[in-house]
């Protein structure tokens, strides 16, 4: 895989460099609530601009239906990128149309432009190779060189991620190089004990990675909404908690396999419960109660791990040499249910281990709860991509960057 440093050494002055970034930031009425993914691509964009390239930044945002939708415009991300760079960033109001062509044509050496949301064009996500390829052909007309730096999208076989690199000289940006280097530390010659903390809403999202980690990790800590399927699989009442009944047989098999292989599978011993889901907009007090994990009332919903579980999980992380954390322990967006996620984050900071926060909600929680991002070993920008890498899958966007 060619690196951006190699590309820069060859010279990019005057060349149009297409940077596939991941600017898929959360928006609240057009206001960015977390700019972490924009900041993550800054080193690549700045290095190219400083070297005299005409930088064309492209990304998706959200899930528009293959047509323009103002709610998913990249205009706020372009504006924020300009603020972070300290220079004007041009914005094209389409992907491959007149605005994109004229905006790119007007770039001077060292200038940066952002084109509109790639998913406004149905060719970006098309299952049909020809339709995707046709869109990639149009994107290729905007550039001389391709740099892949949108790690959060490399597990997608999309036109700008998979097809476009085949049409242009290409290299991996700094972010992708960093992400891949970190993930190799979690899969090759891992320092032990290796502890994995998994949370989030759905156990189905994590089944494949659990399957893979049962042969690699020394210890698995389970929290979040997915924990209730594990508790149900052990025969416990979970009330009205989030539950995927169709996944119970698979979870039971994993519990049995963990016992046979000596992998320590740790489940909550107590949880915070309530009869209703908290109001995340007003943050009104929820007044939860704490119950044993095997004694959740039938009319109650588990919404966070309890105080004893927090202590237990912290102790299970304390002696780790390597930690991967993906998924919050509860509804961290509400202060009454944030303590479990806080406890895991703090335990990572207190541990001497190499710690990796696996993107998505975990990364958002670190920022929302006020932790110093630089204190962690690495915070990934791609939760789904990280999980698929750990599952051992071939990621289309990484395969496309291989020479």
């Amino acid at each position: 895989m060619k690196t951006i440093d190699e590309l820069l050494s060859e010279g990019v002055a005057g060349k149009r460099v297409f940077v596939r970034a991941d600017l898929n930031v959360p928006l609240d009425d057009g206001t960015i609530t977390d700019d972490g993914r924009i900041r993550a691509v800054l080193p690549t964009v700045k290095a190219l601009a400083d070297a005299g390239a005409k930088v064309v930044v492209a990304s998706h945002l959200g899930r528009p239906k293959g047509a323009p939708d103002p709610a998913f415009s990249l205009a706020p991300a372009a504006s924020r990128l300009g603020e972070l760079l300290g220079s004007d960033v041009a914005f094209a109001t389409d992907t491959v149309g007149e605005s994109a062509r004229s905006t790119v044509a007007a770039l001077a050496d060292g200038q940066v432009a952002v084109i509109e949301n790639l998913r406004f064009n149905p060719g970006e996500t098309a299952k049909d190779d020809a339709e995707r390829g046709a869109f990639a052909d149009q994107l290729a007309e905007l550039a001389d060189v391709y740099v892949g730096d949108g790690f959060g999208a490399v597990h997608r076989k999309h036109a700008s991620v998979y097809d476009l690199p085949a049409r242009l000289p290409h290299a991996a940006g700094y972010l992708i190089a960093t992400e891949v280097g970190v993930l190799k530390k979690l899969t090759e010659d891992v320092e032990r004990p290796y502890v994995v903390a998994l949370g989030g809403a759905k156990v189905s999202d994590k089944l494949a990675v659990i399957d893979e980690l049962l042969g690699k990790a020394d210890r698995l800590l389970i929290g979040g909404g997915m924990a209730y399927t594990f508790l149900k699989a052990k025969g416990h009442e979970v009330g009205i908690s989030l539950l995927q009944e169709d996944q119970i047989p698979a979870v039971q098999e994993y519990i049995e396999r963990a016992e046979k292989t000596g992998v320590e599978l740790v489940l909550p011993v107590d949880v915070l419960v309530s009869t209703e889901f908290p109001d995340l907009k007003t943050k009104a007090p929820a007044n939860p109660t704490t119950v044993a994990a095997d004694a959740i009332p039938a009319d109650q919903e588990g919404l966070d791990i309890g105080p004893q579980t927090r202590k237990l999980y912290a102790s299970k992380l304390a002696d780790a040499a390597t930690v991967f954390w993906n998924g919050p322990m509860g509804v961290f967006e509400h202060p009454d249910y944030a303590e479990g996620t806080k406890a895991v984050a703090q335990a990572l900071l207190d541990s001497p281990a190499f710690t990796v926060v696996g993107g998505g909600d975990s990364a958002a929680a670190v920022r929302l709860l006020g932790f110093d991002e630089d204190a962690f070993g690495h915070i990934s920008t791609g939760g789904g991509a990280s999980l698929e890498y750990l599952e051992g899958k071939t990621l289309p966007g990484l395969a496309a960057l291989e020479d």
Side-chain angles (χ1 to χ4, degrees):
M1 188 181 292
K2 188 175 187 176
T3 68
I4 187 172
D5 284 332
E6 292 176 273
L7 180 67
L8 291 169
S9 70
E10 295 169 359
V12 293
K15 292 183 179 179
R16 300 169 301 163
V17 180
F18 188 104
V19 177
R20 195 352 174 146
D22 179 9
L23 308 181
N24 186 26
V25 292
L27 296 171
D28 184 3
D29 293 328
T31 300
I32 296 170
T33 58
D34 182 354
D35 67 357
R37 284 178 170 165
I38 301 175
R39 286 185 286 111
V41 79
L42 277 178
T44 291
V45 173
K46 192 173 187 309
L48 290 166
D50 288 348
K54 302 173 180 180
V55 187
V56 182
V57 180
S59 175
H60 69 286
L61 191 151
R63 297 180 182 273
K65 305 299 183 182
D69 183 339
F72 297 105
S73 175
L74 276 174
S79 177
R80 181 58 180 151
L81 179 62
E83 291 173 359
L84 293 168
L85 287 171
S87 59
D88 290 338
V89 168
F91 181 66
T93 56
D94 56 28
T95 56
V96 291
E98 177 55 36
S99 179
R101 291 192 296 270
S102 61
T103 299
V104 173
L107 287 175
D109 293 0
Q111 288 190 323
V112 179
V114 173
I115 62 174
E116 187 54 285
N117 191 337
L118 292 164
R119 290 186 183 175
F120 285 0
N121 190 304
E124 170 67 1
T125 59
K127 301 294 185 186
D128 181 74
D129 290 350
E131 183 179 355
R132 233 180 31 251
F135 183 48
D137 287 339
Q138 291 178 294
L139 290 172
E141 293 176 7
L142 300 175
D144 306 303
V145 180
Y146 177 94
V147 171
D149 214 30
F151 181 74
V154 293
H155 58 315
R156 307 294 188 192
K157 194 176 182 180
H158 291 169
S160 66
V161 176
Y162 179 75
D163 302 272
L164 185 54
R167 289 157 168 78
L168 295 169
H170 50 265
Y174 290 124
L175 176 60
I176 279 186
T178 297
E179 295 273 13
V180 171
V182 166
L183 288 169
K184 284 184 177 179
K185 289 186 178 182
L186 299 178
T187 54
E188 303 171 10
D189 299 321
V190 183
E191 289 192 41
R192 298 184 180 280
Y194 178 20
V195 183
V196 177
L198 295 176
K202 294 181 179 180
V203 69
S204 57
D205 293 342
K206 307 284 191 338
L207 282 179
V209 77
I210 292 171
D211 185 55
E212 186 71 17
L213 288 169
L214 280 173
K216 294 181 177 177
D218 299 297
R219 194 177 294 151
L220 290 177
L221 314 181
I222 305 295
M226 63 185 287
Y228 302 102
T229 301
F230 276 83
L231 292 171
K232 187 71 171 180
K234 290 180 73 70
H236 301 318
E237 170 65 56
V238 297
I240 57 173
S241 305
L242 189 63
L243 175 66
Q244 290 186 281
E245 292 210 41
D246 61 324
Q247 304 298 333
I248 288 176
V251 168
Q252 288 173 328
E253 192 272 323
Y254 291 154
I255 292 171
E256 292 171 6
R257 181 146 46 109
E259 291 176 356
K260 289 177 181 176
T261 58
V263 175
E264 189 178 1
L265 182 61
V266 189
L267 300 179
V269 294
D270 63 345
V271 295
L272 299 187
V273 298
S274 177
T275 56
E276 58 185 8
F277 197 82
D279 188 326
L280 300 183
K281 282 203 172 287
T282 66
K283 304 290 196 296
N287 301 314
T289 55
T290 302
V291 300
D294 60 358
I296 299 174
D299 64 341
Q300 304 272 315
E301 178 179 11
L303 296 164
D304 193 16
I305 57 174
Q308 294 305 313
T309 305
R310 291 174 221 150
K311 291 179 183 177
L312 173 65
Y313 284 13
S315 72
K316 297 295 183 180
L317 290 163
D319 67 343
T322 304
V323 177
F324 175 69
W325 170 35
N326 181 279
M329 296 292 109
V331 187
F332 71 92
E333 300 92 340
H334 192 285
D336 286 351
Y337 301 106
E339 293 305 316
T341 303
K342 277 185 184 177
V344 168
Q346 187 61 52
L348 263 66
L349 293 184
D350 293 341
S351 169
F354 174 65
T355 56
V356 179
V357 180
D361 285 342
S362 311
V366 164
R367 288 187 273 269
L368 180 67
L369 299 176
F371 289 95
D372 178 5
E373 295 176 61
D374 294 334
F376 296 87
H378 179 69
I379 296 181
S380 177
T381 57
S386 295
L387 288 176
E388 291 199 15
Y389 190 101
L390 293 182
E391 288 166 24
K393 290 184 177 179
T394 296
L395 306 188
L398 296 185
L401 293 175
E402 297 289 349
D403 292 327

